[in-house]
Amino acid sequence: MSATERDEATPRAVFAVPMRDLLAACAAADAISTPPRVPDRETVQRERHREAA
């Protein structure tokens, strides 16, 4: 038996991942790997002004 015949005779397992699971995994990885954003200066100043009033 040649190598190509042997490869063709061997059944191959096919694994499928639902698109929903794939997208959820990508979103989770993105959320974990993205550092928190620095607050905008204008937003922080408005909040401090409201607290003082």
Side-chain angles (χ1 to χ4, degrees):
M1 182 182 294
S2 69
T4 56
E5 289 176 335
R6 211 174 329 132
D7 291 341
E8 290 176 1
T10 305
R12 295 185 181 186
V14 177
F15 298 102
V17 177
M19 183 58 74
R20 180 187 302 167
D21 293 347
L22 183 61
L23 291 174
C26 291
D30 186 50
I32 290 172
S33 65
T34 304
R37 291 181 7 188
V38 177
D40 196 21
R41 285 186 176 185
E42 293 178 11
T43 306
V44 172
Q45 288 175 356
R46 274 188 258 144
E47 289 176 2
R48 287 182 185 167
H49 181 67
R50 288 182 186 169
E51 290 175 7

